[in-house]
Amino acid sequence: MKTLTIALVAATLFIGPQAFAKGEGFSLGLNLGIATSSQSDMNLLIKNANTRTAGLAVSELGNAWEGNAMLSYRLSGSMMALQFRPGFFYQSTDGSAAGGTYEYSAIGFTVFPVLRIYMLEDNAIKFFSNFSVGWGMINGKIKEGVNEVKFSGGNLGYMVGLGAEFCFF
């Protein structure tokens, strides 16, 4: 893991400045954030477990941790860039009572090839729009006392949005 981190930092230092060149080139980026997601089915299970099990107080699933990497290629003399964006997210909550531990979690990843169009830019800031259709997969676990269920699934999704990139050095 340490070697991978060093390689990513080195690649960012050498390739990163090309992201703010108006010609063609590669760029690399990393993001870490908090995503809001509604897990209403799992939250209903948590609410029911809290009601039927004395002394149990498991909080509902709230925000998820999300991280992704981006590898972009800016087409020469164009407003367009192609981007590959794999992502990872994690959401979990737990508690315990006389009947044992109660755990609810979801871990997943996404893969999105993105078409990015730079609408307005200069050397310090770039405004862009993203268009993408991608695929995601989730693995989850529900543990209530001695009972445990694992599940997984996948599906296609889309991503459309506006954004900005800033360069301060």
Side-chain angles (χ1 to χ4, degrees), residues 35-84:
T36 57
S37 63
S38 173
Q39 301 286 356
S40 57
D41 292 339
M42 286 184 63
N43 283 337
L44 180 60
L45 291 173
I46 293 168
K47 183 179 176 182
N48 291 340
N50 285 336
T51 302
R52 75 173 176 269
T53 307
L56 181 63
V58 177
S59 60
E60 292 186 351
L61 290 170
N63 296 330
W65 287 100
E66 180 184 18
N68 63 58
M70 300 173 297
L71 175 62
S72 298
Y73 179 72
R74 179 75 182 261
L75 302 173
S76 179
S78 172
M79 295 173 49
M80 291 190 235
L82 301 174
Q83 186 178 80
F84 178 68

Side-chain angles (χ1 to χ4, degrees), residues 23 44-45 50 53 60 85 122 124 136 146 150 155 167:
L44 180 60
L45 291 173
N50 285 336
T53 307
E60 292 186 351
R85 186 176 185 233
D122 65 14
V146 296
K150 293 182 179 180
N155 208 345
C167 181

Side-chain angles (χ1 to χ4, degrees), residues 11 39 43 77 89 117 131 143 148:
Q39 301 286 356
N43 283 337
F89 61 92
I117 300 173
F131 304 95
K143 181 180 179 189
E148 184 174 315

Side-chain angles (χ1 to χ4, degrees), residues 87-99:
F88 172 81
F89 61 92
Y90 175 75
Q91 194 172 20
S92 176
T93 188
D94 60 12
S96 63

